């Protein structure tokens, strides 16, 4: 089973993934968690480039770098784990690429982006996607970093386009579960676990 978490920075993905992992493990399943980009030696090196605020990266190049990191993670690690029966949780997947590089950057047409995502994910699709929805204002209040990474320096207009992109995906895709991530952490977790438990019990 592949579960993915989506949302802009500050939405609480890391916290909720940790809580969900504990619950699923208590349910008797093996769980592995990875972040995107990252999770392998190659993907982590690509991550360093993508988030380096001193790097000037063309939007198409950015898209392809994210895709390259994803391809390595899926082929070398995620697919083998799924074949062994593990539950894999990803902190971001190709829906982030659609929201950030598609809606946010406008790097390529969405139809082209869909084809790239299919190739980079080796045809793998999530079983369940939790979209932790917050406003840009909430995101900024929660982050409050002294030094922003390259993506975080993209500005409010960019991030609003990203949020709009996630909203469109949530309306279109049945696997999406939209959660109000401005609520209390425990309430958010309860909603996520209820959905995940139902799926695991099938």
């Amino acid at each position: 089973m592949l579960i993915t978490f989506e949302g802009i920075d500050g939405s609480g993905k890391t916290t909720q993934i940790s809580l969900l992992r504990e619950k699923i493990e208590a349910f008797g399943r093996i769980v592995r968690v990875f972040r995107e980009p990252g999770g392998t030696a190659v993907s982590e090196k690509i991550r360093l480039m993508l988030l380096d605020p001193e790097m000037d990266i063309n939007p198409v190049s950015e898209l392809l770098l994210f895709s390259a990191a994803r391809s390595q993670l899926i082929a070398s690690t995620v697919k083998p784990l799924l074949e062994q029966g593990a539950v894999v949780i990803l902190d971001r997947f190709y829906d982030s690429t659609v929201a950030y590089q598609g809606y946010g950057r406008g790097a390529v047409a969405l139809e082209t982006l869909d084809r790239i995502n299919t190739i980079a994910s080796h045809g793998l699709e999530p079983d369940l996607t939790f979209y932790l929805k917050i406003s840009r204002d909430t995101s900024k209040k929660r982050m409050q970093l002294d030094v922003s990474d390259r993506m975080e320096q993209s500005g409010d207009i960019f991030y609003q386009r990203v949020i709009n992109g996630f909203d469109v995906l949530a309306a279109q895709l049945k696997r999406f579960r939209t959660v109000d991530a401005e609520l209390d952490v425990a309430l958010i977790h309860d909603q996520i676990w209820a959905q995940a438990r139902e799926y695991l019990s099938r």
Side-chain angles (χ1 to χ4, degrees), residues 12-59:
K13 291 186 281 70
T14 302
T15 298
Q16 293 301 328
I17 286 171
S18 178
L19 292 171
L20 180 60
R21 178 178 190 166
E22 291 176 4
K23 278 289 179 63
I24 296 177
E25 287 177 338
F27 206 71
R29 299 289 297 273
I30 295 172
V31 184
R32 295 291 303 276
V33 175
F34 303 97
R35 64 180 182 179
E36 275 215 12
T40 70
V42 171
S43 304
E44 290 291 340
K45 287 184 178 181
I46 294 174
R47 180 186 182 88
L48 290 175
M49 286 193 295
L50 283 165
L51 299 184
D52 186 344
E54 296 183 2
M55 295 287 282
D56 182 12
I57 303 177
N58 175 272

Side-chain angles (χ1 to χ4, degrees), residues 120-156:
S121 65
H122 297 263
L124 185 63
E125 295 183 6
D127 295 294
L128 200 56
T129 298
F130 291 105
Y131 167 36
L132 304 189
K133 182 176 173 61
I134 60 171
S135 69
R136 173 59 174 158
D137 285 343
T138 298
S139 171
K140 289 195 294 185
K141 288 175 183 176
R142 289 181 178 177
M143 299 302 287
Q144 291 185 338
L145 299 176
D146 293 331
V147 180
S148 298
D149 67 36
R150 197 181 64 82
M151 297 300 294
E152 290 160 357
Q153 291 178 346
S154 298
D156 291 344

